[in-house]
Amino acid sequence: MAKLQPVRGTHDLIGHEARAHIALTEAARAVADRYGYSPIATPIFEFTDVFQRTLGDTSDIVKKEMYTFEDKGGDSLTLRPEGTAGVARAFISGGLRNELPLKCFYAGPMFRYERPQKGRLRQFHQIGAELIGVPEPTGDVEIIALGADILDALGILTETTLELNTLGDLPSRLAYRGALVDYFTGHADALSEESRERLTRNPLRILDSKDPGDRAVINDAPVFDDYLSGDARAFFKSVRAGLDTLGIAYELNPRLVRGLDYYSHTAFEFTTEALGAQGTVLAGGRYDGLIETMGGPATPGVGWAAGIERLAMMLRDPDVAVRPVVLVGMGDDGEREAMHLARELRCAGLTIDLQYKGGLKRGLRRANRINAAAAVLIGADELLRGAVTVRDLDSGEQVDVVITDLTDHLAAYR
RNA sequence: GUGGCUGUAGCUCAGUUGGUUAGAGCGCCUGGUUGUGGUCCAGGAGGCCGUGGGUUCAAAUCCCAUCAGCCACCCCA
């Protein structure tokens, strides 16, 4: 802490950046509203157990990325690294089992102790949606459609690719996992060091390895399709058919593996080339076993999360801030009247920027800088007549306006 | 957590083989216009050269450490 600087991997949101985040979140929320998804806000920290148990002891998040600390009461707490576990916990502790299906949308900060780089921060923000209590593939289709429509509302759907895979049901996955471990163990000496580690942690990940040596071994590895149960295969087929019906394009990616243990069946990611190494923009899947694992009633769920910073990087200058009208008062009487009028006009729904101090020149210069549409000049001459001067800052034209007509006159600038 | 690149004014950057008061553009402030912006002209403020240590008569420049940013890996949003 030599100099006053933000904690590594955190970032201040200032000005148009802050505005862009809010606009983006609200645009997404509006789409979620139309899908009937209600807002939910869970705490940004939970008992460590909530994440440890649900994400799986072998996941990177639990192993090295959690912000965990002990509070003054001696409880181990963790800043949430993702949103689903908290929602699931709220579902259980709030006794919402009679409210099914539960459809919710959230937005807020997440925390992961990672090495930061572009598109990856220690505190970042996500929007997310969860659909709890719907075991049918229709639920998967809806949740994916919601994600696609939000990306579309933001104008970036066409720059993304929807990748789709199935992780099968639990029996299928365990059988396949076992087959993979057997196979790769037999070829362990040919595997990279990293993949040998993955063998115990998450064997499915080996399939996604970029190591050339690994690729050769992977080519002859068992194929998941051979281990998929009939039910799991039928489920996946329904999901694909639903997406086809809605005209949502996707690419099958058999190597798409989710990092968190609680996923099953459908896994999907909207990815882009535009963001470098961090290509995943919106990702999720089905988590049928999660709530039961946490000690709740067996309840299926499906959902996704998207990184707001990553989405924001894909938007092109969405600065659509309203152009204000600037009020410039001159002299004591003028400044007092400006303050008074500012409040009246704001209450009337206009966006008003009050010039607090300084003369006309400075007021106009500042008006120009903040891209104001018009300036209202309030000085002694005008006040004697009960009027003000309204200057259009684009044309430079000025007109005298009686104060009682000002609100109506400025309607053109709202 | 691993490897590579980078760090000079609010921003983008220049700074010659180490050499005396560290520069430019943009932005900001003031004046030219005691009540009229954007253009133009003149002037001004603003830098412990990321931080700490070392080498040297002398360090923005060389060495080490550290912090931060970027890129790749890992992983993920």
Side-chain angles (χ1 to χ4, degrees), chain A residues 225-254:
Chain A
D225 200 56
D226 297 337
Y227 294 82
L228 268 188
S229 68
D231 286 350
R233 188 173 290 122
F235 188 96
F236 191 42
K237 194 176 170 188
S238 295
V239 172
R240 291 187 324 242
L243 292 174
D244 291 340
T245 300
L246 298 185
I248 296 174
Y250 56 86
E251 284 177 15
L252 293 178
N253 178 0

Side-chain angles (χ1 to χ4, degrees), chain A residues 184 190-196 198 206 209-219:
Chain A
F184 284 124
L191 287 176
S192 66
E193 198 180 318
E194 273 159 358
S195 284
R196 253 175 283 152
R198 285 189 271 234
I206 300 175
S209 173
K210 287 160 190 162
D211 184 275
D214 289 353
R215 314 263 4 157
V217 182
I218 292 164
N219 280 337

Side-chain angles (χ1 to χ4, degrees), chain A residues 346-358:
Chain A
R346 286 163 176 161
C347 288
L350 286 148
T351 302
I352 300 298
D353 192 278
L354 181 61
Q355 175 66 22
Y356 306 108
K357 201 180 172 201

Side-chain angles (χ1 to χ4, degrees), chain A residues 80-139:
Chain A
R80 63 183 184 192
E82 56 98 44
T84 304
V87 172
R89 195 233 79 224
F91 168 79
I92 297 169
S93 45
L96 302 176
R97 66 201 65 176
N98 297 323
E99 313 278 332
L100 297 177
L102 183 69
K103 305 155 74 173
C104 52
F105 175 87
Y106 62 83
M110 305 292 166
F111 306 83
R112 291 183 197 171
Y113 191 83
E114 292 189 275
R115 183 135 168 200
Q117 61 187 72
K118 197 186 195 85
R120 179 202 262 171
L121 300 160
R122 288 188 172 178
Q123 175 177 340
F124 59 104
H125 299 80
Q126 287 187 332
I127 54 174
E130 312 289 353
L131 174 59
I132 295 174
V134 177
E136 288 80 15
T138 311

